[in-house]
C-alpha cells in the first residue's frame, strides 16, 4: 500500500513530466514530426535551435543573414503549439503566454502572427518570403524549405 507521501510524490512527477510526455506523444510517427519551414526561395538554409528560440521568443526580428523574419504561430490550445514550445524551450503553453504578456506590456517585442489552420500557414508561407513557421512534416509542400527538424 502506498503512503500518502509516496502517492503525492508520484502525482507531482506525473504533473511535472506531463508537458514533455505530451510533446513526445504528439510526435509518435515521422509524419507527425514538427519541422520549421521557410519560403522556398529564402536564402536561409538552416537554423540552430538557439536562432529559432531568438526568433520565436521575440529576441530577434531577423534571420541570421539579416533578412526579416516573420514568425507564424498556431492558435492557443492547438496540439502543434503545445508540442512546439515544449520541444523548443521546455515550457508549457501557459508559461509562454505569461512570457509574452510581460514582453508585450513592456513594449519590447511583437508576438508571432497567429494562424488558425495548416492551410493558412501554407498560404502565408507561399505569399510571404520572410515567413517562418512550424508544421507537421507531412504538411510540407514543394514551396517550403525545412530549416530545422526536432529530434
Amino acid at each position: 500500500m502506498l503512503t500518502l507521501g509516496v502517492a503525492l510524490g508520484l502525482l507531482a512527477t506525473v504533473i511535472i513530466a506531463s508537458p514533455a510526455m505530451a510533446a513526445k506523444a504528439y510526435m509518435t510517427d515521422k509524419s507527425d514530426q514538427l519541422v520549421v519551414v521557410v519560403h522556398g526561395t529564402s536564402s536561409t538554409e538552416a537554423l540552430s535551435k538557439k536562432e529559432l528560440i531568438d526568433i520565436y521568443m521575440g529576441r530577434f526580428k531577423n534571420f541570421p543573414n539579416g533578412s526579416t523574419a516573420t514568425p507564424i504561430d498556431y492558435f492557443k490550445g492547438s496540439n502543434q503549439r503545445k508540442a512546439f514550445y515544449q520541444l523548443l524551450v521546455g515550457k508549457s503553453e501557459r508559461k509562454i503566454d505569461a512570457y509574452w504578456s510581460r514582453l508585450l506590456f513592456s513594449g519590447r517585442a511583437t508576438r508571432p502572427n497567429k494562424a488558425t489552420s495548416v492551410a493558412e500557414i501554407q498560404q502565408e508561407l507561399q505569399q510571404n518570403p520572410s515567413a517562418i513557421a512550424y508544421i507537421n512534416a507531412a504538411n510540407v509542400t514543394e514551396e517550403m524549405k525545412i530549416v530545422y527538424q526536432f529530434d
Side-chain angles (χ1 to χ4, degrees):
M1 181 146 168
L2 290 176
T3 66
L4 181 58
V6 171
L8 289 175
L10 288 172
L11 180 59
T13 302
V14 169
I15 290 170
I16 291 168
S18 48
M21 290 174 10
K24 199 133 183 113
Y26 175 74
M27 297 183 3
T28 54
D29 88 43
K30 290 292 183 188
S31 65
D32 281 347
Q33 182 177 17
L34 284 178
V35 295
V36 179
V37 294
V38 295
H39 189 277
T41 63
S42 173
S43 60
T44 301
E45 295 296 324
L47 292 171
S48 69
K49 189 171 186 177
K50 182 188 179 321
E51 292 165 336
L52 195 56
I53 290 169
D54 288 341
I55 291 170
Y56 266 92
M57 301 305 286
R59 296 180 190 136
F60 294 124
K61 295 181 180 187
N62 296 343
F63 289 111
N65 64 11
S67 62
T68 302
T70 306
I72 303 168
D73 210 354
Y74 276 91
F75 60 94
K76 185 176 179 175
S78 72
N79 289 335
Q80 293 93 339
R81 186 171 190 258
K82 290 175 186 176
F84 176 72
Y85 285 107
Q86 185 61 47
L87 291 165
L88 186 65
V89 291
K91 300 215 179 291
S92 69
E93 185 176 34
R94 197 168 115 204
K95 288 185 179 184
I96 293 298
D97 290 340
Y99 169 85
W100 275 106
S101 291
R102 287 189 304 273
L103 276 183
L104 293 172
F105 182 75
S106 71
R108 292 185 297 175
T110 304
R111 185 185 291 261
N113 296 341
K114 295 281 186 215
T116 58
S117 67
V118 172
E120 192 175 327
I121 288 175
Q122 289 171 327
Q123 181 179 9
E124 184 67 25
L125 281 162
Q126 288 173 356
Q127 296 175 349
N128 185 352
S130 69
I132 178 171
Y134 53 93
I135 193 167
N136 290 3
N139 295 319
V140 174
T141 66
E142 290 180 11
E143 293 85 19
M144 300 174 194
K145 183 189 312 182
I146 297 173
V147 292
Y148 188 84
Q149 194 165 318
F150 291 97
D151 297 327

